[in-house]
Amino acid sequence: MVQSNYMKFHKSILKLFLASFMIVSCSNKDEHSENDFEFSLVKFESPVIQRSKIYPDWKGLATADACVISVNDTLKAWFSGSGWLANDTSCGHVRIGYAWSLDGINWNEYIQNPVLNRSDNSTDFDYDGVETPTVIYDENAQFNERYKMWYAGRSLSCSNVQDHKIGYAYSPDGINWTKYTANPVIVPGGDSSWYNTAVYGPSVIYEGNIYKMWFTGMDTVLNNQSTDGKANILYATSINGINWSIHSEPVLVAGEQSEADLVVCAEPSVVKINGVYHMFYSSLDQWDVENFQVSHAWSVDGILWNKSHQNPLLLVGNVGEWDSYWASHPAVFYNNLTQNIQMWYTGRDNELINDFYNYYWDIGYAELRMN
């Protein structure tokens, strides 16, 4: 069985007690409105950013975790790739690549990918790999910081220990990145917190001179808290993108308001449309079958959220289709011209990988429209 760090990460984070690649009451539901949002959805039939199936390529094992923004009418994507290092093929590592597109379906990948690499220093928080990027473009920032990225890093190489923290990097062009020297910028809390194990999967919006981040926090310390053994979504704010104030409680809790996410709310992607925040996130209803799918929630303030009655919104494919096992880890962009929400997501067709050449672990595409 081919095993990458990306696989270990999700197998152990989302199946908490097997090795392998949150405190909020119902009052956290937004009481400003009882309205819900209805979506129609169409999937593109095949992946749009694929693993290379080449050994020992940097994305030979998987592509996943896309983040997509639009700059000057060009869609720009940063995504995780799992593969090998040129000088060390003992195990897989996850790094971040870049691609651009005019339609969101046909992508041109940067020939010198990856653009964000793991650290070469074994004491750094991202020595093992970097993944789950979120990027914003700030035309008013200093030239060398026009592009800002937050990402998850893991330090213990070729290990099942999950110690993910969130780091920050900046770039003048989205290709040449400089990591913040005092990384990481967000770390797990103590044992009594509801994010005591790992933090990852950030989604950042910049508005009103405030950086707003939603991210995943894991609680694997079993100490009789309602968050024990769950992944939930947290919220933080910052005036500089480096020093963050984390909200006192998770803002989206697994199992509340919805049965689609009984054990996992993770990897949020947030977009603001007509004054309303829309969050699309990975959801899981049971540990026995890891069929991660995409669910939706909305909010008027980014803190009090309403989960959609349509959840899960983006479903795994039928047996035999490329995304029949996973359809999750969403990235969304609102197209003002078409008034559609464009979504990129991670798809898989199998839990077990027995043949390096014959499996899917790639990035797919869908379009959503509010009815």
Side-chain angles (χ1 to χ4, degrees):
M1 172 176 167
V2 177
Q3 186 79 329
S4 71
N5 281 344
Y6 185 82
M7 172 181 271
K8 291 179 194 173
F9 170 56
H10 286 283
K11 287 289 288 182
S12 53
I13 261 197
L14 299 170
K15 204 170 191 176
L16 297 173
F17 310 110
L18 298 178
S20 86
F21 165 160
M22 283 180 208
I23 306 174
V24 177
S25 69
C26 290
S27 63
N28 261 30
K29 183 175 181 180
D30 188 342
E31 297 177 355
H32 292 286
S33 174
E34 296 181 356
N35 295 327
D36 201 355
F37 292 86
E38 293 276 353
F39 293 93
S40 56
L41 182 149
V42 177
K43 278 186 187 179
F44 192 69
E45 62 185 10
S46 57
V48 296
I49 299 179
Q50 294 183 269
R51 69 186 186 95
S52 66
K53 303 182 183 181
I54 297 173
Y55 175 87
D57 188 47
W58 80 278
K59 60 162 192 166
L61 293 167
T63 58
D65 308 328
C67 166
V68 180
I69 64 173
S70 178
V71 179
N72 298 325
D73 297 324
T74 298
L75 292 170
K76 300 189 174 189
W78 295 264
F79 60 95
S80 303
S82 181
W84 297 271
L85 304 176
N87 59 351
D88 179 7
T89 58
S90 58
C91 66
H93 296 270
V94 187
R95 289 164 288 172
I96 293 171
Y98 165 73
W100 65 270
S101 172
L102 296 179
D103 59 9
I105 297 172
N106 301 288
W107 289 91
N108 302 276
E109 297 183 35
Y110 181 54
I111 194 170
Q112 296 183 42
N113 274 335
V115 296
L116 193 75
N117 218 320
R118 65 156 201 158
S119 172
D120 292 327
N121 187 336
S122 62
T123 65
D124 286 345
F125 87 105
D126 55 358
Y127 175 65
D128 181 65
V130 294
E131 56 192 298
T132 64
T134 183
V135 177
I136 65 171
Y137 175 73
D138 183 1
E139 63 181 6
N140 297 316
Q142 297 181 27
F143 176 73
N144 68 329
E145 294 189 43
R146 294 283 172 87
Y147 291 85
K148 304 171 187 288
M149 176 192 292
W150 294 265
Y151 64 96
R154 191 176 99 150
S155 65
L156 293 176
S157 186
C158 304
S159 166
N160 292 325
V161 176
Q162 307 309 320
D163 59 356
H164 294 76
K165 304 175 180 68
I166 294 175
Y168 169 67
Y170 53 89
S171 168
D173 54 12
I175 295 172
N176 299 286
W177 292 92
T178 301
K179 293 178 181 178
Y180 176 56
T181 56
N183 272 334
V185 296
I186 295 183
V187 301
D191 285 355
S192 62
S193 75
W194 22 263
Y195 57 107
N196 50 50
T197 306
V199 290
Y200 64 99
S203 177
V204 175
I205 287 178
Y206 183 62
E207 59 177 1
N209 297 318
I210 298 291
Y211 296 92
K212 300 180 178 182
M213 178 191 291
W214 297 264
F215 63 100
T216 310
M218 286 297 307
D219 180 358
T220 62
V221 177
L222 305 181
N223 52 7
N224 297 314
Q225 296 190 110
S226 62
T227 53
D228 289 355
K230 293 181 179 180
N232 305 284
I233 293 173
L234 288 62
Y235 175 66
T237 57
S238 173
I239 60 172
N240 58 12
I242 296 170
N243 302 298
W244 292 89
S245 298
I246 300 176
H247 190 64
S248 58
E249 296 179 332
V251 295
L252 206 68
V253 180
E256 291 192 356
Q257 302 181 39
S258 174
E259 294 185 356
D261 56 18
L262 288 175
V263 292
V264 170
C265 293
E267 291 109 12
S269 180
V270 179
V271 62
K272 194 172 187 181
I273 305 171
N274 298 327
V276 177
Y277 296 96
H278 293 268
M279 177 190 294
F280 299 84
Y281 62 96
S282 298
S283 60
L284 182 67
D285 62 354
Q286 60 174 316
W287 293 121
D288 292 339
V289 181
E290 293 184 5
N291 291 142
F292 292 99
Q293 304 181 106
V294 175
S295 288
H296 168 256
W298 63 272
S299 170
V300 297
D301 62 4
I303 298 173
L304 303 176
W305 290 87
N306 303 272
K307 293 179 182 177
S308 171
H309 71 278
Q310 280 186 281
N311 286 343
L313 186 61
L314 179 77
L315 306 179
V316 295
N318 297 320
V319 174
E321 295 181 331
W322 78 274
D323 58 354
S324 59
Y325 183 64
W326 273 11
S328 62
H329 309 74
V332 293
F333 170 75
Y334 181 66
N335 189 316
N336 286 300
L337 293 178
T338 65
Q339 296 186 342
N340 287 340
I341 296 172
Q342 296 177 268
M343 177 186 291
W344 298 264
Y345 67 96
T346 302
R348 289 176 59 188
D349 64 344
N350 267 297
E351 176 182 10
L352 299 178
I353 299 171
N354 298 310
D355 183 345
F356 174 68
Y357 296 102
N358 293 306
Y359 72 89
Y360 287 97
W361 194 323
D362 303 300
I363 296 171
Y365 177 73
E367 288 193 4
L368 297 81
R369 188 169 187 86
M370 291 186 195
N371 296 329

